Amino acid sequence: MENIVRTKVKDLLKSEAGHDVLAKGWVRTKRGNKNVAFIALNDGSTINNIQIVVDKTQFEDCVLAKITTGACIGVCGSLVESMGSGQAVEIQAKEIEIYGECDPMRYPLQKKDTSFEYLRSVAHMRMRTNTFGAILRIRNQMAFAIHEYFHSKGFVYLNTPLITESDCEGAGQMFQVTTLNLEEALPRNKKGGIDYSSDFFGKQTSLTVSGQLEGELGATALGEIYTFGPTFRAENSNTPRHLAEFWMIEPEMAFYDIKDNMDLAEDFIKHLVEYALKNCYDDIKFLNDKYDPELIERLQSVIGTEFVRLEYTEGIRILEEAVKNGIKFEYPVYWGVDLQSEHERYLVEQHFKKPVILTGYPKEIKAFYMKQNEDGKTVRAMDILFPKIGEIIGGSEREASLEKLEARINELQMSRTNLEWYIDTRRFGSCPHSGFGLGFERLLLFVTGMSNIRDVIPFPRTPKNAEF
Ligand code: 4AD
Ligand code: MG
């Protein structure tokens, strides 16, 4: 067997029949009759299986018995045109090697229960299912497409720190990082607070909620940068759209105003969806047919449509009008309120029936760094709202004026001691600039049609769950 080079299933399925091949993978199913067995073999390279035809008289019973769902095997045989429907080629087995048996009584994926909830409880195994194979291949393609997109535009990929002393979003949702011994009485300072001088970094530190502040340092030196990495939020929201550890893409561009920022975000997201349809069609088609018959249509419609650009104030007016007309929301609507997902989805799914870029939010509900509008009430924020998802992107033009930025920091009574380095961008050669953050898993929710964010990341971290 070892004198033939292994071919991946994806490539086998595209090969011409008429030669000997070696396939390796995991058994998805085995069926057949007294004389012949048909094995569906998958190696993760594609959603599709290669069919192995086994003449049972040529193999010992003890080998055949070990070929059960989940077992890992290598098969050498001739690639022939398939008589059956569903595949062009199949392998007529000559030699079979069992690499790893799989006890059907104990294999977690053997169970009848294939609900997403059950599969989350066996997340260490769920990648072996068709569904999670498809999702994770799409995830991989999307990551590649993101790097390629920015690379082609000359953006610099900037690696911002994961451990930080600043709270970019100012929401106080940070996971603390410490090596202080929590079993012992903590060292105290004169005021009775914790004395961090003996902690690892000599100060209080946390996992980052966003790489933006450091991204701005990069943009105001390199011109255009993007980050792509994990971010962490200790927000206790147990929803289908929130993770405690999620991946974010944050481009930051010097000399972009809010309109340039919106144009880039819209082009970026359309490019990604288009890329997915082109490069992950088999996997998307599988998800479309199995779970979400409107998925492909929804993806296509986003590429072909111009996103609505709407002022927050106008958005509130539309929502208030809807309430007047009898639409019931769980949360109240009034000018100044932070929109809930139900409001965002009403605008996108019911009212406009396409993605919406909402701008001009009240400054009170947005972070300190956003450019303040002349009215003194609103900021140049932009959130992109998507069907089925709600907010998929959050961003803004940044406040470039030192005076206004400092005033806002003081107004919010933020500690300046660990922000002076950031304020330096406005002190020394300040420039107009903008940026945004795309939640990678929110994008994947949209592209895969999955309805729970726990199902588009291999190992979800959510309140009370950090298994595997
Ligand atoms: O709107 P957010 O909080 O914005 C920022 O962090 C800015 N610093 C981005 C920037 O301007 N550079 O988060 C950005 C996006 C959201 O639109 C959403 O898609 C995603 O990150 N996101 C989450 N995704 C999963 N789980 C969570 N808990 C998320 N919180 C935000
Ligand atoms: Mg946001």
Side-chain angles (χ1 to χ4, degrees), residues 119-126 458-461 465-468:
L119 290 174
R120 269 171 235 144
S121 75
V122 289
H124 61 305
M125 284 278 130
R126 69 178 178 171
F459 303 103
R461 267 77 185 99
N465 173 43
E467 220 183 332
F468 311 111

Side-chain angles (χ1 to χ4, degrees), residues 187-301:
R188 295 281 163 183
N189 57 29
K190 285 202 187 93
K191 284 184 187 154
I194 293 172
D195 175 10
Y196 285 101
S197 61
S198 61
D199 202 350
F200 190 91
F201 295 105
K203 52 176 67 162
Q204 186 176 10
T205 54
S206 304
L207 294 177
T208 189
V209 296
S210 158
Q212 180 195 321
L213 300 187
E214 293 88 354
E216 286 186 53
L217 302 178
T220 55
L222 297 159
E224 290 150 343
I225 64 94
Y226 71 104
T227 72
F228 186 178
T231 44
F232 307 87
R233 299 208 182 167
E235 64 190 312
N236 200 5
S237 21
N238 238 318
T239 81
R241 283 177 312 279
H242 288 89
L243 289 165
E245 177 180 301
F246 66 98
W247 287 63
M248 183 152 55
I249 300 97
E250 294 185 276
E252 191 71 34
M253 299 75 63
F255 316 119
Y256 272 51
D257 66 13
I258 185 73
K259 165 142 190 323
D260 303 325
N261 202 24
M262 288 192 275
D263 290 345
L264 179 73
E266 181 169 344
D267 182 66
F268 176 47
I269 212 158
K270 282 179 175 168
H271 173 82
L272 294 178
V273 173
E274 201 170 1
Y275 188 98
L277 279 172
K278 213 186 249 163
N279 295 279
C280 316
Y281 193 77
D282 284 357
D283 288 323
I284 291 176
K285 180 86 170 60
F286 169 82
L287 297 171
N288 182 90
D289 295 352
K290 183 152 187 191
Y291 302 107
D292 183 355
E294 285 158 20
L295 175 61
I296 291 177
E297 208 182 296
R298 205 160 52 243
L299 297 181
Q300 277 161 346
S301 85

Side-chain angles (χ1 to χ4, degrees), residues 21-93:
V21 295
L22 171 59
K24 298 181 180 183
W26 293 268
V27 174
R28 279 291 152 78
T29 55
K30 184 176 82 173
R31 58 186 180 83
N33 53 39
K34 252 211 303 233
N35 306 318
V36 206
F38 299 98
I39 302 164
L41 195 70
N42 189 282
D43 66 0
S45 61
T46 160
I47 187 78
N48 300 307
N49 306 321
I50 183 97
Q51 174 155 283
I52 316 286
V53 184
V54 183
D55 176 352
K56 285 187 170 175
T57 61
Q58 302 295 309
F59 292 89
E60 297 195 37
D61 282 348
C62 65
V63 172
L64 294 172
K66 288 176 184 163
I67 303 174
T68 56
T69 296
C72 185
I73 64 172
V75 181
C76 192
S78 50
L79 193 70
V80 297
E81 270 175 40
S82 175
M83 309 283 233
S85 61
Q87 65 273 322
V89 289
E90 62 193 20
I91 298 175
Q92 210 97 50

